[in-house]
Amino acid sequence: MTIQTIATTPFAGQRPGTSGLRKKVTEFQQPGYLENFVEAIFLTLGDCAGRTLVLGGDGRYFNRQAIQTILRMAAAHGVAKILVGRGGILSTPAVSCVIRKHGAFGGIVLSASHNPGGPDGDFGIKYNIGNGGPAPEKITEAIFAHTKALSSYRISDAGPVDLDAIGTSRIEDMQVEVIDPVADYAELMGRLFDFDAIRALFASGFTMRFDGMSAVSGPYAKAIIEGMLGAPAGTVVNAEPREDFGGHHPDPNPVNAAELIALMDGPDAPDFGAASDGDGDRNMIVGRKLAVSPSDSLAIIAANATVAPGYRAGIKGIARSMPTSQAADRVAAALGVSCFETPTGWKYFGNLLDAGLATLCGEESYGTGSDHIREKDGVWAVLFWLNLLAASGKSVNQIVEEHWARFGRNYYSRHDYEAVDAGAAEAMMQALRDQLDTLAGRQFGDFRVQQADDFAYTDPVDKSVSSRQGIRIVMTDGSRIVLRLSGTGTEGATVRLYLERYEADASRHGLATQEALAPLIDIAEQVSQLKQRTGREQPSVVT
Ligand code: VG1
Ligand code: CO
């Protein structure tokens, strides 16, 4: 075994987006492409002597190969020890959990999350810091700067490590420990939730379907929900992580999890439905004929946090991403705790959680989590709901309707225009920015604009500023239109249009969401000319 220095030249475009570097598999397969980015991570980390790292991914195509490369590069950079999930598998929340539990210096997660996988799909890589959370912008920008100036990378010429057997081996002076990907995570869940109550719920005949979407959360859900909580075998479906996610688009929303939605809408619906995404950090909660809006789910979890043993003492605060509905704000106000509004992406929650300013966090994109780790956590959210269903004896629908009756309903929807021309999307955003100053005070039908801006965030802990985080048009009644460009897509640009309307009157809580939002959809089009500019008549996905 020797450490080699291989000459390389920079690749353009290795700037991490909302959640790491995501590109087509074919781009990652170019010689040196993965190596360059990993070298840039190690150059950013500096001296790795004595340090432990965690490594794993969502099992998608190219995962195993990338893990072998990263192991050999970690050894070449003097890492003391690396914990890698068996089979190269670790969900994003499990990486966060393992980093924290084992006091690791950081971790590398291989995933393009909700993006499709397979040879023609996407691959991704992100770095998590010692608190278990995604690297903040300061670090991702430093990594990007290194990618632009590389002339070589270092790698050991050692052979492949057996990833399928638990145990310890060595590359150069680095110890490689293959760990059970589920054990640490399952133990943490057992401390947060009332497993006895959930076991009793299943024993009483309660039925559920968890759709793993052939992605990484399957093994976690199977071990915990069927194994530890006694749900009948077959409760967790599509539980085997597959390299192409079995052709599924591993994004848990009513469009991509159509089979689960059809089941929950039909005569044989179980009591509870749930799904998670490619890397296990997202969740969708479904009742009979009701997909719970992720923004509502965050608010409901916050309002009921104390049913779970891990949150008995109450919550310190809530944080939500800017486009996420303001349903959680109402709960925070009722509880007398702060509600923080951050840019999109979990990395912005880390400081708030570390400082003890927030306990619960959420995003409209089917992401919910808490201070138990520093990533959003799909199985955690599902277990919270199970705990709530067990403790209350109510159905999902009852819980949601009672929540709306108490706090009012925030009708909410996101319209995605995927893979549109990047230049046209940028031009649309610029045109919106250019008219921001003229929007305040304008009347559109029943709505009057109170405020229009390009969202900027100052982190309350380290005072770092993130600007241009999305156009926000806020109406005097609190309704909102938000437009931003995705930072996780790999083809052209994806425009996200977010719509929100508040309705206090319970007699008007039964409207169809798109109907309730129709006037705001019209205003968004008038202001942005989205359809004309992108040449699209309809959004590609409505959630
Ligand atoms: C999307 C979501 C965002 C989420 C991010 C990563 O980002 O909108 O809320 O944090 O994906 O989720 P964007 O920039 O495409 O809107 V995941 O499950 O990919 O780690
Ligand atoms: Co994800």
Side-chain angles (χ1 to χ4, degrees):
M1 281 194 285
T2 55
I3 294 168
Q4 308 197 315
T5 300
I6 312 282
T8 191
T9 50
F11 289 90
Q14 290 197 322
R15 175 182 242 142
T18 310
S19 180
L21 181 70
R22 286 191 197 173
K23 300 285 176 194
K24 293 273 166 222
V25 165
T26 45
E27 203 159 343
F28 265 104
Q29 284 171 324
Q30 299 170 84
Y33 191 91
L34 171 73
E35 289 84 347
N36 274 18
F37 190 73
V38 174
E39 182 71 16
I41 293 178
F42 282 116
L43 292 177
T44 305
L45 299 188
D47 185 9
C48 286
R51 289 177 176 172
T52 297
L53 290 182
V54 178
L55 175 63
D58 63 10
R60 69 177 61 221
Y61 185 81
F62 200 57
N63 190 53
R64 279 178 178 263
Q65 213 174 317
I67 285 193
Q68 297 290 355
T69 302
I70 295 168
L71 285 173
R72 290 189 290 129
M73 290 185 70
H77 284 276
V79 171
K81 182 174 177 181
I82 205 150
L83 300 169
V84 52
R86 184 182 50 223
I89 293 286
L90 277 174
S91 73
T92 288
V95 169
S96 190
C97 164
V98 172
I99 291 175
R100 294 168 68 80
K101 182 164 175 176
H102 297 266
F105 185 76
I108 295 177
V109 193
L110 303 173
S111 173
S113 184
H114 59 283
N115 299 19
D120 303 320
D122 292 344
F123 191 74
I125 174 166
K126 60 175 176 165
Y127 180 71
N128 280 27
I129 58 175
N131 73 354
E137 250 174 17
K138 191 171 68 208
I139 294 179
T140 54
E141 284 300 302
I143 294 172
F144 178 52
H146 279 298
T147 67
K148 292 190 285 190
L150 288 176
S151 57
S152 65
Y153 62 84
R154 282 190 294 153
I155 188 163
S156 161
D157 64 359
V161 168
D162 178 3
L163 294 175
D164 295 305
I166 304 278
T168 303
S169 59
R170 281 198 166 271
I171 304 178
E172 309 292 345
D173 292 330
M174 180 179 83
Q175 190 187 338
V176 181
E177 189 178 338
V178 175
I179 60 166
D180 177 337
V182 178
D184 288 330
Y185 178 83
E187 185 265 333
L188 175 58
M189 293 302 116
R191 281 190 278 128
L192 296 176
F193 299 111
D194 187 347
F195 274 22
D196 288 338
I198 304 174
R199 260 191 295 269
L201 180 71
F202 280 119
S204 73
F206 176 89
T207 53
M208 169 182 185
R209 173 170 291 186
F210 182 104
D211 192 334
M213 303 189 90
S214 304
V216 82
S217 63
Y220 297 86
K222 232 182 156 51
I224 297 171
I225 297 172
E226 292 184 12
M228 300 166 82
L229 297 172
T235 296
V236 181
V237 300
N238 298 315
E240 276 297 310
R242 308 248 298 262
E243 286 200 327
D244 64 349
F245 306 123
H248 292 125
H249 187 155
D251 191 358
N253 61 44
V255 178
N256 294 320
E259 231 175 273
L260 176 66
I261 295 296
L263 176 77
M264 297 305 295
D265 283 350
D268 302 322
D271 297 305
F272 181 45
S276 186
D277 74 330
D279 61 335
D281 58 0
R282 297 188 179 202
N283 73 92
M284 177 170 66
I285 299 297
V286 197
R288 290 199 172 130
K289 297 191 171 65
L290 173 72
V292 181
S293 146
S295 300
D296 282 346
S297 179
L298 171 65
I300 290 167
I301 289 174
N304 297 283
T306 53
V307 301
Y311 307 92
R312 254 337 161 231
I315 59 171
K316 296 174 190 148
I318 308 175
R320 63 163 174 83
S321 68
M322 182 274 281
T324 303
S325 98
Q326 299 159 98
D329 303 36
R330 295 181 179 274
V331 177
L335 293 174
V337 300
S338 307
C339 189
F340 299 89
E341 184 173 44
T342 62
T344 295
W346 213 261
K347 59 181 173 238
Y348 296 103
F349 294 135
N351 280 349
L352 298 171
L353 294 168
D354 284 350
L357 293 170
T359 303
L360 298 172
C361 304
E363 294 191 280
E364 51 65 41
S365 53
Y366 297 83
T368 339
S370 87
D371 59 1
H372 67 294
I373 53 170
R374 294 294 180 272
E375 287 277 8
K376 56 187 185 275
D377 189 343
V379 170
W380 171 90
V382 174
L383 292 172
F384 185 92
W385 270 88
L386 278 171
N387 197 149
L388 174 56
L389 294 165
S392 66
K394 293 176 183 166
S395 69
V396 174
N397 298 55
Q398 244 176 315
I399 290 169
V400 171
E401 278 156 25
E402 288 177 15
H403 185 89
W404 290 341
R406 178 170 169 211
F407 293 97
R409 177 171 181 185
N410 292 66
Y411 282 102
Y412 188 84
S413 179
R414 185 175 104 184
H415 293 193
D416 291 334
Y417 292 77
E418 295 175 323
V420 300
D421 180 75
E426 283 294 350
M428 182 199 77
M429 293 300 288
Q430 194 48 50
L432 278 166
R433 278 186 205 107
D434 291 344
Q435 51 173 316
L436 284 175
D437 289 346
T438 68
L439 284 174
R442 265 178 73 181
Q443 190 78 31
F444 292 91
D446 294 341
F447 295 91
R448 192 180 178 78
V449 178
Q450 179 170 3
Q451 175 201 350
D453 61 8
D454 193 348
F455 181 62
Y457 177 67
T458 303
D459 185 295
V461 178
D462 66 16
K463 309 292 175 206
S464 60
V465 177
S466 304
S467 48
R468 291 163 78 104
Q469 295 296 321
I471 302 296
R472 209 166 42 154
I473 303 170
V474 186
M475 307 299 177
T476 47
D477 72 345
S479 296
R480 296 190 309 165
I481 296 168
V482 172
L483 285 128
R484 60 178 282 280
L485 300 186
S486 156
T488 59
T490 56
E491 258 180 79
T494 292
V495 180
R496 303 207 196 281
L497 165 64
Y498 310 81
L499 304 140
E500 174 182 8
R501 179 180 188 173
Y502 180 67
E503 178 58 71
D505 181 353
S507 74
R508 290 203 296 262
H509 286 169
L511 298 182
T513 300
Q514 300 305 317
E515 226 169 87
L517 295 170
L520 289 163
I521 297 171
D522 284 346
I523 299 169
E525 177 57 27
Q526 258 184 69
V527 176
S528 68
Q529 296 174 317
L530 174 55
K531 292 189 172 146
Q532 190 207 321
R533 284 181 176 275
T534 59
R536 295 283 177 82
E537 267 315 299
Q538 296 298 329
S540 14
V541 183
V542 173
T543 52

